[in-house]
Amino acid sequence: MQPMNYHLKYWRHYFISHSRHGTHSPFVYKLVDEVIYQQDDPDRILNLPREVSMGGKVEIKKYLLVDRLLKTFAYDQFMFLTDEPPASYEELFKQKAGSYSFRKIYYIDQTNLDLDFLAVVGERDMLIVNEPHLSVEREEYWNKLRDDDRVVVTIDLYRIGLVFFRAGQRKENFLIRF
């Protein structure tokens, strides 16, 4: 995808997306209010891994969001579906992993990935999809993931996508400003 097209799509997403007040799901409202829009401690920002700090403002923002998500959703297993997991993210996932929470978190950063792995995903599991709109192939993958019957809630933050498999909730897709 051309860089200009990527940025134009970002602005389109920005104008049609909602803040926490545009959501009608208590789960998503609470997640947006208490996690996604949460301000980070300035000391945490100063102590980021070097590769994240050098990645620029967007990379810092994404890393801090993933950090807050991992603090909020207790998990005991994680899996990277990437060509090569970034060392900073791998270390972050290892630090935050607990035990007996029966949740697995998948971090996805690939272009050519099928949905076969969803057969083993549980209802408490969560997917974090990095840059779902970076290329046409990634956008097609994000759309297939969003439309899959096993997926219940998707939250599209443009640069990160969150996928939940919550039982007892109706299927919903949210576009949230981030």
Side-chain angles (χ1 to χ4, degrees):
M1 181 179 300
Q2 300 293 334
M4 182 60 121
N5 194 17
Y6 177 76
H7 294 296
L8 288 173
K9 283 187 175 189
Y10 170 77
W11 284 109
R12 180 183 178 277
H13 180 273
Y14 181 82
F15 287 117
I16 65 171
S17 61
H18 298 282
S19 67
R20 64 182 159 255
H21 299 293
T23 63
H24 50 273
S25 164
F27 166 72
V28 175
Y29 180 91
K30 185 175 181 179
L31 179 65
V32 171
D33 189 49
E34 296 178 5
V35 180
I36 295 173
Y37 287 170
Q38 188 67 30
Q39 294 296 316
D40 288 292
D41 180 28
D43 290 337
R44 177 70 178 124
I45 296 169
L46 291 174
N47 295 316
L48 291 173
R50 189 176 193 311
E51 81 178 69
V52 173
S53 298
M54 300 301 286
K57 187 176 180 179
V58 170
E59 194 56 42
I60 290 170
K61 196 172 176 181
K62 289 190 317 186
Y63 182 85
L64 291 170
L65 172 62
V66 171
D67 183 34
R68 291 190 305 270
L69 287 166
L70 297 180
K71 287 178 188 172
T72 302
F73 293 99
Y75 64 98
D76 50 4
Q77 298 177 41
F78 60 92
M79 177 180 282
F80 285 95
L81 300 173
T82 64
D83 295 327
E84 187 175 324
S88 57
Y89 281 87
E90 203 168 21
E91 186 61 33
L92 179 66
F93 274 77
K94 286 178 185 175
Q95 287 174 0
K96 306 286 183 202
S99 58
Y100 304 113
S101 62
F102 307 106
R103 176 178 286 124
K104 189 171 190 174
I105 297 181
Y106 297 81
Y107 182 85
I108 302 171
D109 192 6
Q110 278 186 328
T111 301
N112 299 319
L113 187 65
D114 56 32
L115 299 179
D116 292 342
F117 76 96
L118 291 179
V120 297
V121 173
E123 70 178 41
R124 293 177 44 90
D125 295 350
M126 178 174 83
L127 310 181
I128 300 172
V129 181
N130 188 41
E131 295 287 358
H133 301 283
L134 188 61
S135 67
V136 172
E137 294 83 12
R138 283 182 181 235
E139 202 152 8
E140 287 173 359
Y141 175 73
W142 173 254
N143 291 335
K144 282 195 292 187
L145 192 57
R146 188 185 66 206
D147 295 339
D148 191 280
D149 291 335
R150 295 167 282 201
V151 171
V152 178
V153 175
T154 61
I155 301 173
D156 186 347
L157 303 169
Y158 194 75
R159 293 195 169 95
I160 288 187
L162 305 175
V163 179
F164 298 92
F165 304 86
R166 297 170 48 87
Q169 184 170 341
R170 69 184 176 105
K171 186 172 182 72
E172 295 181 282
N173 303 305
F174 295 93
L175 296 171
I176 303 291
R177 275 186 213 114
F178 174 62

